[in-house]
Amino acid sequence: MSLVSSHSPTGQSPLRTVQVLGGGNAGSSAHVRSLALGLVARGVRVTVCAPGEADRAYDFTGAGADHVHVPRSSDPASVAMLREACKDADLVHAHGLHASFRAVLALSGRHTPLVVTWHDRAHAEGARAHLVRLLERRVVRAAAVVLGTTSALVDRARGTGARDARLAAVALPAPRRIADAEDLDGLRSKVRAELGALDRPLLMAVGSLDRHRGYHTLLDASRAWCRLDPGPLVAIAGEGPLRAELQRRIDDEELPVRLIGGRDDVSDLIAAADLALLPSRWEARSVLAQEALHARVPLVATDVGGIPELVGDAAELVPYGDAVALADTVVRLLGDPERRALMREKGARQAATWPTEDETVAQVLSVYDELTRPLPLI
């Protein structure tokens, strides 16, 4: 693999890249933080353009990058701020559809190479779905290279008109290591006590409270678990527009579900669970799925998007929207400790096949090298 030089195409200063983020996706924000750390260590100058709250949450400056506050909006003032931040860049790398569209607008009339990473698919219906397709077409035709985190996203980019679309190596930042079994037991007990699940199974779901996450199906399935003794508790970490609607159902139907809001200790929550649940309508390279397999927690997920490619045979997959299948699968697993032990082992083996952070940085560097290497003299 060709490794990029730490120098710009002129050979007189370090390569300068600008990473553009919308700030709304935890997976892409964590990826950019990891990428910035690796690029800076290899002599590349990195500027991260993202809302201020994203830097406070992910500490891009602590990774050695410069941070420029750029609002998530695509209004002219925000685009002008981004254009100014990119004026001396050798290459711009945008993450997600909306950040990529802003980058296209900011680079209009310039010859700066644009790399785009699609971490997930934009979720939209009706007229907005048509708008999303128009934005996708505009972005992929302007990008020199589109990196997709799943084969489905790569195919989507190619079908939309991308000149060059490739499967991205995207690593989940290395999970925090627990020193020993005693520490892990202590962590589990602390988390489960906080949630009220010391003497009952804990089922953990994580993600924004949006329609595409499938939480209404999860609530439907939870009715079947009330008959178990002890009955499991479902904890959902995340915030979003459906919170009031979901809470009403939980209260009215007396469901064994707790909405615990946005959390910054997701890894600990998942590690403390008996099962992780992912009932979404579509997922790409799900952070929850990766966290669960890394933590050796059995996963039940919908058979959609990039999930089968990501987890292989290390998770139980059910159809999207099928509350009966979800409920029955959870009941079966809770009653089968041998199956859960096998899933933990398979999960650890599957996680070991995923790209490392070093491999992710190496792939990105090779792409940067292709796009910034001086043309040979004839």
Side-chain angles (χ1 to χ4, degrees), residues 50-224:
E53 58 268 23
D55 185 49
R56 289 190 289 274
Y58 292 93
D59 193 20
F60 304 121
T61 52
D66 295 321
H67 171 252
V68 175
H69 168 69
V70 177
R72 196 169 187 270
S73 170
S74 295
D75 63 70
S78 298
V79 172
M81 293 170 66
L82 182 56
R83 185 175 178 84
E84 176 65 19
C86 295
K87 68 179 181 181
D88 296 321
D90 296 308
L91 180 142
V92 174
H93 189 164
H95 301 262
L97 177 60
H98 295 289
S100 302
F101 180 65
R102 288 196 297 281
V104 170
L105 296 178
L107 295 176
S108 178
R110 295 179 178 172
H111 298 292
T112 309
L114 174 63
V115 177
V116 166
T117 296
W118 280 359
H119 295 266
D120 203 347
R121 192 183 74 186
H123 300 280
E125 297 176 355
R128 189 169 181 274
H130 178 66
L131 175 61
V132 165
R133 293 295 288 177
L134 292 177
L135 293 181
E136 289 177 341
R137 190 174 299 117
R138 176 80 179 274
V139 165
V140 302
R141 291 181 177 179
V145 175
V146 178
L147 300 173
T149 59
T150 70
S151 297
L153 288 173
V154 173
D155 291 343
R156 186 178 180 91
R158 288 173 178 160
T160 308
R163 289 175 281 168
D164 186 341
R166 312 177 192 181
L167 187 64
V170 176
L172 185 74
R176 179 168 66 89
R177 296 296 179 189
I178 307 299
D180 54 36
E182 185 176 342
D183 288 343
L184 178 58
D185 288 342
L187 171 66
R188 285 173 54 88
S189 295
K190 178 183 176 183
V191 171
R192 294 171 76 98
E194 178 205 339
L195 298 179
L198 276 176
D199 300 314
R200 59 195 298 196
L202 175 62
L203 315 180
M204 195 73 225
V206 179
S208 58
L209 305 183
D210 291 297
R211 192 74 56 185
H212 71 273
R213 296 290 184 184
Y215 289 135
H216 278 296
T217 301
L218 179 54
L219 265 55
D220 290 341
S222 73
R223 288 199 293 261

Side-chain angles (χ1 to χ4, degrees), residues 12-372:
Q12 296 180 2
S13 61
L15 183 76
R16 184 187 171 207
T17 70
V18 174
Q19 308 287 325
V20 185
L21 263 175
N25 182 287
S28 58
S29 298
H31 170 64
V32 169
R33 208 273 180 189
S34 171
L35 195 57
L37 197 64
L39 292 173
V40 169
R42 290 159 176 80
V44 178
R45 287 182 58 196
V46 178
T47 297
V48 177
C49 292
E53 58 268 23
D55 185 49
R56 289 190 289 274
Y58 292 93
D59 193 20
F60 304 121
T61 52
D66 295 321
H67 171 252
V68 175
H69 168 69
V70 177
R72 196 169 187 270
S73 170
S74 295
D75 63 70
S78 298
V79 172
M81 293 170 66
L82 182 56
R83 185 175 178 84
E84 176 65 19
C86 295
K87 68 179 181 181
D88 296 321
D90 296 308
L91 180 142
V92 174
H93 189 164
H95 301 262
L97 177 60
H98 295 289
S100 302
F101 180 65
R102 288 196 297 281
V104 170
L105 296 178
L107 295 176
S108 178
R110 295 179 178 172
H111 298 292
T112 309
L114 174 63
V115 177
V116 166
T117 296
W118 280 359
H119 295 266
D120 203 347
R121 192 183 74 186
H123 300 280
E125 297 176 355
R128 189 169 181 274
H130 178 66
L131 175 61
V132 165
R133 293 295 288 177
L134 292 177
L135 293 181
E136 289 177 341
R137 190 174 299 117
R138 176 80 179 274
V139 165
V140 302
R141 291 181 177 179
V145 175
V146 178
L147 300 173
T149 59
T150 70
S151 297
L153 288 173
V154 173
D155 291 343
R156 186 178 180 91
R158 288 173 178 160
T160 308
R163 289 175 281 168
D164 186 341
R166 312 177 192 181
L167 187 64
V170 176
L172 185 74
R176 179 168 66 89
R177 296 296 179 189
I178 307 299
D180 54 36
E182 185 176 342
D183 288 343
L184 178 58
D185 288 342
L187 171 66
R188 285 173 54 88
S189 295
K190 178 183 176 183
V191 171
R192 294 171 76 98
E194 178 205 339
L195 298 179
L198 276 176
D199 300 314
R200 59 195 298 196
L202 175 62
L203 315 180
M204 195 73 225
V206 179
S208 58
L209 305 183
D210 291 297
R211 192 74 56 185
H212 71 273
R213 296 290 184 184
Y215 289 135
H216 278 296
T217 301
L218 179 54
L219 265 55
D220 290 341
S222 73
R223 288 199 293 261
W225 305 328
C226 294
R227 69 175 186 266
L228 301 179
D229 186 20
L233 172 69
V234 181
I236 303 175
E239 286 291 356
L242 290 187
R243 183 180 180 100
E245 182 179 330
L246 294 172
Q247 190 63 59
R248 278 195 300 272
R249 276 201 61 188
I250 293 166
D251 295 339
D252 292 347
E253 301 174 36
E254 298 182 344
L255 300 175
V257 180
R258 282 192 60 188
L259 305 181
I260 62 175
R263 302 284 293 239
D264 59 7
D265 59 346
V266 166
S267 296
D268 292 348
L269 293 171
I270 293 172
D274 295 285
L275 297 176
L277 306 180
L278 186 62
S280 302
R281 181 172 64 197
W282 203 91
E283 290 280 350
R285 198 170 181 86
S286 163
V287 173
L288 176 130
Q290 294 176 78
E291 292 270 15
L293 269 59
H294 272 301
R296 301 168 66 93
V297 172
L299 171 69
V300 180
T302 41
D303 188 3
V304 296
I307 294 299
E309 182 178 18
L310 179 67
V311 303
D313 66 349
E316 293 274 0
L317 301 182
V318 298
Y320 167 72
D322 191 333
V324 173
L326 177 58
D328 289 349
T329 300
V330 167
V331 170
R332 175 168 52 79
L333 287 175
L334 290 177
D336 190 346
E338 291 185 2
R339 174 61 182 166
R340 296 201 307 275
L342 177 61
M343 290 179 69
R344 285 192 285 270
E345 294 304 315
K346 285 187 172 184
R349 289 197 295 270
Q350 181 69 11
T353 70
W354 295 335
T356 65
E357 289 182 273
D358 281 345
E359 289 167 343
T360 297
V361 173
Q363 185 204 39
V364 168
L365 284 172
S366 71
V367 172
Y368 292 179
D369 188 31
E370 289 177 37
L371 298 179
T372 60

Side-chain angles (χ1 to χ4, degrees), residues 9-10 369-378:
T10 64
D369 188 31
E370 289 177 37
L371 298 179
T372 60
R373 186 188 301 126
L375 293 174
L377 297 176
I378 298 177

